[in-house]
Amino acid sequence: MKTFSLEGRAALVTGSSQGIGMAMAHGLHEAGARVVCHGLTDRPPALPEWASYVPCDLCDPSAPASLVEKAFECEPALDTLICNAGSFFDLPLLEMTRERWDQTMQLNLASTFFTAQAFAKHLVAEKRGGSIVITSSTNGFQAEMDSCAYDASKGALVMLTKSLAVSLADHGIRVNGIAPGLIKTPLTATWMESRDRSVLEHYEKKILLRRVGAPEDVAGAAVFLCSDAASYITGEIIVIDGGLTTGQIGRM
């Protein structure tokens, strides 16, 4: 279907120097979009030549607006935004600090809002529609041990997605979200590989599709939500977890 094509579209994907973000950038490119990638440091060697790249630290409150401006300089016809940048800074509950709480909320939540706001300002001023996709997590629906700040930030992103969808609908800007479950990325691989195999086996029994996800498993849903195939969808969250949160108990 041509409605799944992103030919003629231009997208900014935050947090796309590796992992899920890079997989989504690849997916957008394969669907025909021009892509601006973003990361914390200098351009990574693994980033393809077709991608423009803007480095900045979104923990800096001034960075979201600056990132969007530079992305529009790279692609003046930018009409698609994926807010994917985020990380995990929690310590065990009784050791958690205000500094780490604030760092979580700035990167995962505040930078998402202000990046989306700056992007929307451009489109509204130019009287153009567009699409925003926000990466939340299954942690936005179900809590995890010693993950209070991360869980709270991801839960807030679920509601932020809906609130932005309400506020931007009249401007022709759709806003949707994705909620990945357990996906093996550079962020999660260290955690998975540092534990006894029985922990991973436990999750594989709980996941209906019997495996931990790969970043590429997330890309298709993001491409769909950015495409005209999803033109009548806004304010929704697609859970991408292999059925992890569907079964109550899982296999024994």
Side-chain angles (χ1 to χ4, degrees):
M1 291 177 62
K2 289 185 178 180
T3 51
F4 286 92
S5 172
L6 297 179
E7 290 289 343
R9 307 281 288 277
L12 165 64
V13 185
T14 71
S16 50
S17 62
Q18 61 183 0
I20 291 173
M22 182 176 283
M24 290 192 289
H26 275 278
L28 294 171
H29 171 72
E30 289 173 7
R34 302 182 305 280
V35 183
V36 180
C37 290
H38 154 262
L40 179 61
T41 58
D42 292 339
R43 184 184 181 99
L47 199 67
E49 292 184 2
W50 47 256
S52 301
Y53 183 74
V54 180
C56 72
D57 183 358
L58 287 173
C59 284
D60 179 349
S62 67
S66 174
L67 170 61
V68 170
E69 288 302 318
K70 291 176 181 176
F72 271 95
E73 290 174 6
C74 293
E75 293 289 350
L78 200 70
D79 60 0
T80 302
L81 170 66
I82 296 183
C83 291
N84 175 72
S87 195
F88 182 91
F89 305 110
D90 279 74
L91 296 171
L93 174 63
L94 300 182
E95 302 170 22
M96 186 62 176
T97 65
R98 179 59 180 264
E99 180 183 12
R100 284 177 176 257
W101 175 276
D102 289 345
Q103 186 178 20
T104 301
M105 294 303 164
Q106 172 57 38
L107 178 59
N108 294 5
L109 181 58
S111 77
T112 295
F113 172 78
F114 287 105
T115 300
Q117 181 194 55
F119 172 78
K121 284 181 178 180
H122 270 271
L123 296 193
V124 171
E126 297 171 9
K127 294 182 170 56
R128 294 193 290 122
S131 176
I132 299 173
V133 173
I134 292 173
T135 301
S136 179
S137 169
T138 51
N139 286 63
F141 304 99
Q142 296 185 332
E144 188 173 344
M145 180 74 73
D146 292 328
S147 185
C148 289
Y150 183 82
D151 292 352
S153 71
K154 292 299 184 176
L157 288 177
V158 170
M159 185 50 67
L160 178 62
T161 299
K162 295 177 180 293
S163 185
L164 288 172
V166 171
S167 298
L168 294 174
D170 287 347
H171 298 290
I173 301 172
R174 296 184 301 106
V175 186
N176 291 290
I178 55 173
L182 190 57
I183 308 293
K184 188 171 183 179
T185 68
L187 180 64
T188 61
T190 302
W191 169 82
M192 291 183 200
E193 293 166 1
S194 66
R195 302 200 179 194
D196 187 271
R197 171 67 190 173
S198 63
V199 176
L200 190 56
E201 289 175 349
H202 165 76
Y203 281 109
E204 289 172 343
K205 288 180 180 179
K206 182 73 167 66
I207 297 169
L208 298 183
L209 297 185
R210 297 177 179 265
R211 66 177 177 85
V212 170
E216 293 73 22
D217 292 318
V218 179
V223 171
F224 163 67
L225 289 173
C226 294
S227 74
D228 288 342
S231 62
Y232 198 55
I233 300 175
T234 196
E236 294 299 320
I237 313 291
I238 296 180
V239 175
I240 310 165
D241 68 351
L244 174 65
T245 57
T246 298
Q248 184 173 358
I249 297 175
R251 299 178 182 84
M252 301 301 291

mmCIF file of all heavy atoms in Angstrom, residues 161-203:
data_model
loop_
_atom_site.group_PDB
_atom_site.id
_atom_site.type_symbol
_atom_site.label_atom_id
_atom_site.label_comp_id
_atom_site.label_asym_id
_atom_site.label_seq_id
_atom_site.Cartn_x
_atom_site.Cartn_y
_atom_site.Cartn_z
ATOM 1 N N THR A 161 1.366 12.057 25.710
ATOM 2 C CA THR A 161 0.978 11.708 24.338
ATOM 3 C C THR A 161 -0.472 12.078 24.086
ATOM 4 O O THR A 161 -0.821 12.697 23.067
ATOM 5 C CB THR A 161 1.189 10.201 24.090
ATOM 6 O OG1 THR A 161 2.574 9.897 24.254
ATOM 7 C CG2 THR A 161 0.738 9.799 22.704
ATOM 8 N N LYS A 162 -1.339 11.711 25.008
ATOM 9 C CA LYS A 162 -2.769 11.991 24.853
ATOM 10 C C LYS A 162 -3.050 13.493 24.925
ATOM 11 O O LYS A 162 -3.844 14.036 24.150
ATOM 12 C CB LYS A 162 -3.567 11.242 25.922
ATOM 13 C CG LYS A 162 -3.479 9.727 25.775
ATOM 14 C CD LYS A 162 -4.227 9.015 26.894
ATOM 15 C CE LYS A 162 -4.122 7.499 26.740
ATOM 16 N NZ LYS A 162 -4.846 7.009 25.547
ATOM 17 N N SER A 163 -2.383 14.173 25.854
ATOM 18 C CA SER A 163 -2.607 15.612 26.014
ATOM 19 C C SER A 163 -2.135 16.396 24.794
ATOM 20 O O SER A 163 -2.815 17.314 24.317
ATOM 21 C CB SER A 163 -1.877 16.102 27.267
ATOM 22 O OG SER A 163 -2.164 17.460 27.524
ATOM 23 N N LEU A 164 -0.969 16.038 24.261
ATOM 24 C CA LEU A 164 -0.488 16.693 23.043
ATOM 25 C C LEU A 164 -1.415 16.404 21.869
ATOM 26 O O LEU A 164 -1.656 17.284 21.029
ATOM 27 C CB LEU A 164 0.922 16.214 22.711
ATOM 28 C CG LEU A 164 2.061 16.715 23.613
ATOM 29 C CD1 LEU A 164 3.361 16.003 23.262
ATOM 30 C CD2 LEU A 164 2.224 18.220 23.503
ATOM 31 N N ALA A 165 -1.948 15.188 21.797
ATOM 32 C CA ALA A 165 -2.873 14.847 20.716
ATOM 33 C C ALA A 165 -4.107 15.753 20.755
ATOM 34 O O ALA A 165 -4.587 16.210 19.710
ATOM 35 C CB ALA A 165 -3.286 13.381 20.820
ATOM 36 N N VAL A 166 -4.602 16.010 21.953
ATOM 37 C CA VAL A 166 -5.762 16.894 22.106
ATOM 38 C C VAL A 166 -5.410 18.322 21.677
ATOM 39 O O VAL A 166 -6.146 18.974 20.938
ATOM 40 C CB VAL A 166 -6.259 16.886 23.569
ATOM 41 C CG1 VAL A 166 -7.319 17.965 23.785
ATOM 42 C CG2 VAL A 166 -6.820 15.519 23.936
ATOM 43 N N SER A 167 -4.269 18.809 22.124
ATOM 44 C CA SER A 167 -3.885 20.196 21.877
ATOM 45 C C SER A 167 -3.492 20.474 20.430
ATOM 46 O O SER A 167 -3.615 21.606 19.956
ATOM 47 C CB SER A 167 -2.724 20.592 22.797
ATOM 48 O OG SER A 167 -3.111 20.518 24.149
ATOM 49 N N LEU A 168 -3.003 19.457 19.728
ATOM 50 C CA LEU A 168 -2.478 19.684 18.375
ATOM 51 C C LEU A 168 -3.385 19.185 17.261
ATOM 52 O O LEU A 168 -3.093 19.400 16.084
ATOM 53 C CB LEU A 168 -1.102 19.024 18.241
ATOM 54 C CG LEU A 168 0.007 19.638 19.117
ATOM 55 C CD1 LEU A 168 1.288 18.818 19.019
ATOM 56 C CD2 LEU A 168 0.272 21.087 18.722
ATOM 57 N N ALA A 169 -4.501 18.570 17.613
ATOM 58 C CA ALA A 169 -5.383 18.002 16.588
ATOM 59 C C ALA A 169 -5.881 19.058 15.612
ATOM 60 O O ALA A 169 -5.928 18.823 14.394
ATOM 61 C CB ALA A 169 -6.560 17.287 17.249
ATOM 62 N N ASP A 170 -6.256 20.212 16.108
ATOM 63 C CA ASP A 170 -6.790 21.259 15.234
ATOM 64 C C ASP A 170 -5.735 21.839 14.302
ATOM 65 O O ASP A 170 -6.063 22.544 13.350
ATOM 66 C CB ASP A 170 -7.416 22.385 16.069
ATOM 67 C CG ASP A 170 -8.742 21.977 16.687
ATOM 68 O OD1 ASP A 170 -9.293 20.929 16.282
ATOM 69 O OD2 ASP A 170 -9.229 22.699 17.578
ATOM 70 N N HIS A 171 -4.480 21.545 14.567
ATOM 71 C CA HIS A 171 -3.397 22.007 13.689
ATOM 72 C C HIS A 171 -2.970 20.921 12.702
ATOM 73 O O HIS A 171 -1.993 21.104 11.971
ATOM 74 C CB HIS A 171 -2.196 22.440 14.530
ATOM 75 C CG HIS A 171 -2.480 23.588 15.443
ATOM 76 N ND1 HIS A 171 -2.700 24.869 14.982
ATOM 77 C CD2 HIS A 171 -2.601 23.647 16.802
ATOM 78 C CE1 HIS A 171 -2.920 25.673 16.009
ATOM 79 N NE2 HIS A 171 -2.866 24.967 17.118
ATOM 80 N N GLY A 172 -3.680 19.810 12.708
ATOM 81 C CA GLY A 172 -3.350 18.737 11.772
ATOM 82 C C GLY A 172 -2.120 17.949 12.150
ATOM 83 O O GLY A 172 -1.493 17.313 11.292
ATOM 84 N N ILE A 173 -1.775 17.969 13.427
ATOM 85 C CA ILE A 173 -0.604 17.227 13.904
ATOM 86 C C ILE A 173 -1.089 16.062 14.758
ATOM 87 O O ILE A 173 -1.714 16.272 15.803
ATOM 88 C CB ILE A 173 0.341 18.126 14.723
ATOM 89 C CG1 ILE A 173 0.814 19.310 13.875
ATOM 90 C CG2 ILE A 173 1.538 17.322 15.226
ATOM 91 C CD1 ILE A 173 1.601 20.353 14.665
ATOM 92 N N ARG A 174 -0.807 14.852 14.302
ATOM 93 C CA ARG A 174 -1.181 13.662 15.059
ATOM 94 C C ARG A 174 -0.070 13.316 16.060
ATOM 95 O O ARG A 174 1.109 13.482 15.766
ATOM 96 C CB ARG A 174 -1.400 12.465 14.126
ATOM 97 C CG ARG A 174 -2.551 12.631 13.160
ATOM 98 C CD ARG A 174 -2.778 11.383 12.320
ATOM 99 N NE ARG A 174 -1.602 11.020 11.523
ATOM 100 C CZ ARG A 174 -0.782 10.004 11.788
ATOM 101 N NH1 ARG A 174 -0.980 9.240 12.862
ATOM 102 N NH2 ARG A 174 0.246 9.745 11.000
ATOM 103 N N VAL A 175 -0.464 12.833 17.236
ATOM 104 C CA VAL A 175 0.501 12.458 18.261
ATOM 105 C C VAL A 175 0.131 11.078 18.797
ATOM 106 O O VAL A 175 -0.969 10.881 19.306
ATOM 107 C CB VAL A 175 0.535 13.467 19.425
ATOM 108 C CG1 VAL A 175 1.667 13.112 20.393
ATOM 109 C CG2 VAL A 175 0.679 14.892 18.914
ATOM 110 N N ASN A 176 1.040 10.141 18.662
ATOM 111 C CA ASN A 176 0.830 8.787 19.160
ATOM 112 C C ASN A 176 2.071 8.312 19.903
ATOM 113 O O ASN A 176 3.106 8.981 19.907
ATOM 114 C CB ASN A 176 0.518 7.839 18.002
ATOM 115 C CG ASN A 176 -0.840 8.117 17.383
ATOM 116 O OD1 ASN A 176 -1.883 7.865 17.984
ATOM 117 N ND2 ASN A 176 -0.829 8.659 16.160
ATOM 118 N N GLY A 177 1.966 7.165 20.532
ATOM 119 C CA GLY A 177 3.087 6.644 21.298
ATOM 120 C C GLY A 177 3.308 5.174 21.064
ATOM 121 O O GLY A 177 2.422 4.452 20.589
ATOM 122 N N ILE A 178 4.496 4.727 21.403
ATOM 123 C CA ILE A 178 4.804 3.309 21.424
ATOM 124 C C ILE A 178 5.317 2.966 22.814
ATOM 125 O O ILE A 178 5.945 3.797 23.479
ATOM 126 C CB ILE A 178 5.841 2.913 20.350
ATOM 127 C CG1 ILE A 178 7.117 3.761 20.482
ATOM 128 C CG2 ILE A 178 5.254 3.023 18.963
ATOM 129 C CD1 ILE A 178 8.238 3.316 19.559
ATOM 130 N N ALA A 179 5.037 1.749 23.251
ATOM 131 C CA ALA A 179 5.471 1.309 24.577
ATOM 132 C C ALA A 179 6.199 -0.020 24.441
ATOM 133 O O ALA A 179 5.579 -1.091 24.544
ATOM 134 C CB ALA A 179 4.275 1.185 25.515
ATOM 135 N N PRO A 180 7.494 0.016 24.168
ATOM 136 C CA PRO A 180 8.250 -1.232 24.069
ATOM 137 C C PRO A 180 8.314 -1.946 25.416
ATOM 138 O O PRO A 180 8.325 -1.315 26.482
ATOM 139 C CB PRO A 180 9.642 -0.767 23.631
ATOM 140 C CG PRO A 180 9.443 0.605 23.070
ATOM 141 C CD PRO A 180 8.323 1.188 23.862
ATOM 142 N N GLY A 181 8.379 -3.269 25.344
ATOM 143 C CA GLY A 181 8.591 -4.067 26.539
ATOM 144 C C GLY A 181 10.066 -4.352 26.721
ATOM 145 O O GLY A 181 10.898 -3.447 26.634
ATOM 146 N N LEU A 182 10.403 -5.611 26.935
ATOM 147 C CA LEU A 182 11.801 -5.972 27.145
ATOM 148 C C LEU A 182 12.495 -6.129 25.789
ATOM 149 O O LEU A 182 12.256 -7.091 25.062
ATOM 150 C CB LEU A 182 11.887 -7.275 27.943
ATOM 151 C CG LEU A 182 13.267 -7.673 28.465
ATOM 152 C CD1 LEU A 182 13.849 -6.576 29.347
ATOM 153 C CD2 LEU A 182 13.188 -8.980 29.237
ATOM 154 N N ILE A 183 13.316 -5.160 25.447
ATOM 155 C CA ILE A 183 14.022 -5.118 24.165
ATOM 156 C C ILE A 183 15.526 -5.117 24.458
ATOM 157 O O ILE A 183 15.997 -4.353 25.311
ATOM 158 C CB ILE A 183 13.669 -3.849 23.364
ATOM 159 C CG1 ILE A 183 12.143 -3.682 23.234
ATOM 160 C CG2 ILE A 183 14.350 -3.874 22.004
ATOM 161 C CD1 ILE A 183 11.456 -4.729 22.397
ATOM 162 N N LYS A 184 16.284 -5.951 23.746
ATOM 163 C CA LYS A 184 17.730 -5.988 23.966
ATOM 164 C C LYS A 184 18.398 -4.848 23.221
ATOM 165 O O LYS A 184 18.434 -4.814 21.992
ATOM 166 C CB LYS A 184 18.315 -7.322 23.510
ATOM 167 C CG LYS A 184 19.788 -7.478 23.901
ATOM 168 C CD LYS A 184 20.315 -8.871 23.639
ATOM 169 C CE LYS A 184 21.762 -8.998 24.116
ATOM 170 N NZ LYS A 184 22.301 -10.359 23.898
ATOM 171 N N THR A 185 18.900 -3.893 23.956
ATOM 172 C CA THR A 185 19.587 -2.725 23.410
ATOM 173 C C THR A 185 20.914 -2.558 24.167
ATOM 174 O O THR A 185 21.145 -3.256 25.157
ATOM 175 C CB THR A 185 18.742 -1.452 23.604
ATOM 176 O OG1 THR A 185 18.682 -1.155 25.027
ATOM 177 C CG2 THR A 185 17.326 -1.630 23.064
ATOM 178 N N PRO A 186 21.764 -1.621 23.746
ATOM 179 C CA PRO A 186 22.980 -1.379 24.531
ATOM 180 C C PRO A 186 22.673 -1.015 25.987
ATOM 181 O O PRO A 186 23.459 -1.320 26.886
ATOM 182 C CB PRO A 186 23.630 -0.208 23.787
ATOM 183 C CG PRO A 186 23.214 -0.421 22.365
ATOM 184 C CD PRO A 186 21.791 -0.906 22.452
ATOM 185 N N LEU A 187 21.507 -0.376 26.228
ATOM 186 C CA LEU A 187 21.140 0.003 27.590
ATOM 187 C C LEU A 187 20.746 -1.203 28.423
ATOM 188 O O LEU A 187 21.099 -1.310 29.598
ATOM 189 C CB LEU A 187 19.989 1.011 27.556
ATOM 190 C CG LEU A 187 19.484 1.514 28.907
ATOM 191 C CD1 LEU A 187 20.574 2.305 29.630
ATOM 192 C CD2 LEU A 187 18.238 2.378 28.731
ATOM 193 N N THR A 188 20.006 -2.144 27.825
ATOM 194 C CA THR A 188 19.501 -3.290 28.580
ATOM 195 C C THR A 188 20.416 -4.505 28.510
ATOM 196 O O THR A 188 20.328 -5.388 29.369
ATOM 197 C CB THR A 188 18.108 -3.699 28.075
ATOM 198 O OG1 THR A 188 18.188 -4.085 26.689
ATOM 199 C CG2 THR A 188 17.122 -2.550 28.223
ATOM 200 N N ALA A 189 21.288 -4.567 27.502
ATOM 201 C CA ALA A 189 22.138 -5.749 27.335
ATOM 202 C C ALA A 189 23.036 -5.964 28.542
ATOM 203 O O ALA A 189 23.224 -7.103 29.008
ATOM 204 C CB ALA A 189 22.975 -5.612 26.069
ATOM 205 N N THR A 190 23.601 -4.892 29.081
ATOM 206 C CA THR A 190 24.480 -5.011 30.247
ATOM 207 C C THR A 190 23.727 -5.614 31.421
ATOM 208 O O THR A 190 24.217 -6.497 32.123
ATOM 209 C CB THR A 190 25.044 -3.629 30.638
ATOM 210 O OG1 THR A 190 25.755 -3.094 29.522
ATOM 211 C CG2 THR A 190 25.974 -3.740 31.827
ATOM 212 N N TRP A 191 22.494 -5.137 31.602
ATOM 213 C CA TRP A 191 21.660 -5.658 32.691
ATOM 214 C C TRP A 191 21.347 -7.133 32.471
ATOM 215 O O TRP A 191 21.428 -7.943 33.392
ATOM 216 C CB TRP A 191 20.372 -4.843 32.754
ATOM 217 C CG TRP A 191 19.326 -5.428 33.649
ATOM 218 C CD1 TRP A 191 19.245 -5.299 35.003
ATOM 219 C CD2 TRP A 191 18.207 -6.224 33.248
ATOM 220 N NE1 TRP A 191 18.145 -5.978 35.475
ATOM 221 C CE2 TRP A 191 17.489 -6.550 34.426
ATOM 222 C CE3 TRP A 191 17.743 -6.690 32.020
ATOM 223 C CZ2 TRP A 191 16.331 -7.318 34.393
ATOM 224 C CZ3 TRP A 191 16.585 -7.454 31.996
ATOM 225 C CH2 TRP A 191 15.899 -7.760 33.166
ATOM 226 N N MET A 192 20.995 -7.503 31.258
ATOM 227 C CA MET A 192 20.646 -8.898 30.968
ATOM 228 C C MET A 192 21.846 -9.822 31.109
ATOM 229 O O MET A 192 21.757 -10.913 31.671
ATOM 230 C CB MET A 192 20.098 -9.015 29.544
ATOM 231 C CG MET A 192 18.750 -8.388 29.327
ATOM 232 S SD MET A 192 18.190 -8.676 27.620
ATOM 233 C CE MET A 192 16.952 -7.389 27.470
ATOM 234 N N GLU A 193 22.979 -9.394 30.598
ATOM 235 C CA GLU A 193 24.153 -10.257 30.547
ATOM 236 C C GLU A 193 24.864 -10.368 31.893
ATOM 237 O O GLU A 193 25.683 -11.266 32.096
ATOM 238 C CB GLU A 193 25.120 -9.754 29.477
ATOM 239 C CG GLU A 193 24.552 -9.893 28.058
ATOM 240 C CD GLU A 193 25.336 -9.096 27.033
ATOM 241 O OE1 GLU A 193 26.334 -8.451 27.418
ATOM 242 O OE2 GLU A 193 24.945 -9.125 25.847
ATOM 243 N N SER A 194 24.558 -9.460 32.822
ATOM 244 C CA SER A 194 25.223 -9.486 34.123
ATOM 245 C C SER A 194 24.494 -10.383 35.119
ATOM 246 O O SER A 194 24.960 -10.576 36.238
ATOM 247 C CB SER A 194 25.320 -8.064 34.701
ATOM 248 O OG SER A 194 24.018 -7.569 35.000
ATOM 249 N N ARG A 195 23.357 -10.927 34.721
ATOM 250 C CA ARG A 195 22.555 -11.737 35.629
ATOM 251 C C ARG A 195 22.591 -13.211 35.241
ATOM 252 O O ARG A 195 22.949 -13.578 34.125
ATOM 253 C CB ARG A 195 21.102 -11.231 35.625
ATOM 254 C CG ARG A 195 21.005 -9.771 36.025
ATOM 255 C CD ARG A 195 19.635 -9.422 36.471
ATOM 256 N NE ARG A 195 19.552 -8.031 36.886
ATOM 257 C CZ ARG A 195 18.535 -7.520 37.564
ATOM 258 N NH1 ARG A 195 17.504 -8.267 37.886
ATOM 259 N NH2 ARG A 195 18.530 -6.244 37.913
ATOM 260 N N ASP A 196 22.175 -14.015 36.180
ATOM 261 C CA ASP A 196 22.082 -15.454 35.928
ATOM 262 C C ASP A 196 21.098 -15.719 34.801
ATOM 263 O O ASP A 196 20.088 -15.035 34.665
ATOM 264 C CB ASP A 196 21.607 -16.139 37.221
ATOM 265 C CG ASP A 196 21.644 -17.654 37.097
ATOM 266 O OD1 ASP A 196 20.623 -18.217 36.656
ATOM 267 O OD2 ASP A 196 22.678 -18.249 37.416
ATOM 268 N N ARG A 197 21.418 -16.724 33.995
ATOM 269 C CA ARG A 197 20.571 -17.072 32.843
ATOM 270 C C ARG A 197 19.111 -17.322 33.245
ATOM 271 O O ARG A 197 18.192 -17.107 32.460
ATOM 272 C CB ARG A 197 21.159 -18.312 32.156
ATOM 273 C CG ARG A 197 20.281 -18.938 31.067
ATOM 274 C CD ARG A 197 20.134 -18.043 29.864
ATOM 275 N NE ARG A 197 19.117 -18.555 28.960
ATOM 276 C CZ ARG A 197 18.675 -17.935 27.889
ATOM 277 N NH1 ARG A 197 19.178 -16.748 27.578
ATOM 278 N NH2 ARG A 197 17.758 -18.464 27.134
ATOM 279 N N SER A 198 18.896 -17.747 34.491
ATOM 280 C CA SER A 198 17.539 -18.054 34.940
ATOM 281 C C SER A 198 16.639 -16.823 34.918
ATOM 282 O O SER A 198 15.428 -16.944 34.752
ATOM 283 C CB SER A 198 17.572 -18.641 36.353
ATOM 284 O OG SER A 198 18.090 -17.701 37.279
ATOM 285 N N VAL A 199 17.226 -15.632 35.084
ATOM 286 C CA VAL A 199 16.423 -14.406 35.036
ATOM 287 C C VAL A 199 15.868 -14.201 33.636
ATOM 288 O O VAL A 199 14.684 -13.907 33.454
ATOM 289 C CB VAL A 199 17.266 -13.185 35.464
ATOM 290 C CG1 VAL A 199 16.461 -11.899 35.308
ATOM 291 C CG2 VAL A 199 17.731 -13.352 36.908
ATOM 292 N N LEU A 200 16.731 -14.359 32.617
ATOM 293 C CA LEU A 200 16.281 -14.209 31.236
ATOM 294 C C LEU A 200 15.276 -15.305 30.881
ATOM 295 O O LEU A 200 14.283 -15.047 30.188
ATOM 296 C CB LEU A 200 17.480 -14.254 30.290
ATOM 297 C CG LEU A 200 17.220 -13.877 28.832
ATOM 298 C CD1 LEU A 200 16.602 -12.492 28.725
ATOM 299 C CD2 LEU A 200 18.516 -13.940 28.035
ATOM 300 N N GLU A 201 15.504 -16.500 31.359
ATOM 301 C CA GLU A 201 14.570 -17.592 31.104
ATOM 302 C C GLU A 201 13.207 -17.302 31.718
ATOM 303 O O GLU A 201 12.162 -17.657 31.150
ATOM 304 C CB GLU A 201 15.136 -18.900 31.667
ATOM 305 C CG GLU A 201 16.319 -19.432 30.872
ATOM 306 C CD GLU A 201 16.948 -20.662 31.507
ATOM 307 O OE1 GLU A 201 16.591 -20.971 32.680
ATOM 308 O OE2 GLU A 201 17.793 -21.294 30.855
ATOM 309 N N HIS A 202 13.204 -16.648 32.857
ATOM 310 C CA HIS A 202 11.937 -16.255 33.487
ATOM 311 C C HIS A 202 11.150 -15.329 32.572
ATOM 312 O O HIS A 202 9.943 -15.511 32.368
ATOM 313 C CB HIS A 202 12.213 -15.555 34.824
ATOM 314 C CG HIS A 202 11.032 -14.818 35.373
ATOM 315 N ND1 HIS A 202 9.970 -15.457 35.976
ATOM 316 C CD2 HIS A 202 10.732 -13.486 35.392
ATOM 317 C CE1 HIS A 202 9.064 -14.546 36.347
ATOM 318 N NE2 HIS A 202 9.513 -13.354 36.011
ATOM 319 N N TYR A 203 11.825 -14.336 32.009
ATOM 320 C CA TYR A 203 11.142 -13.400 31.105
ATOM 321 C C TYR A 203 10.691 -14.091 29.829
ATOM 322 O O TYR A 203 9.598 -13.817 29.312
ATOM 323 C CB TYR A 203 12.054 -12.221 30.779
ATOM 324 C CG TYR A 203 12.102 -11.188 31.873
ATOM 325 C CD1 TYR A 203 13.240 -11.037 32.658
ATOM 326 C CD2 TYR A 203 11.004 -10.374 32.129
ATOM 327 C CE1 TYR A 203 13.269 -10.096 33.680
ATOM 328 C CE2 TYR A 203 11.031 -9.430 33.148
ATOM 329 C CZ TYR A 203 12.166 -9.298 33.918
ATOM 330 O OH TYR A 203 12.205 -8.373 34.925
#
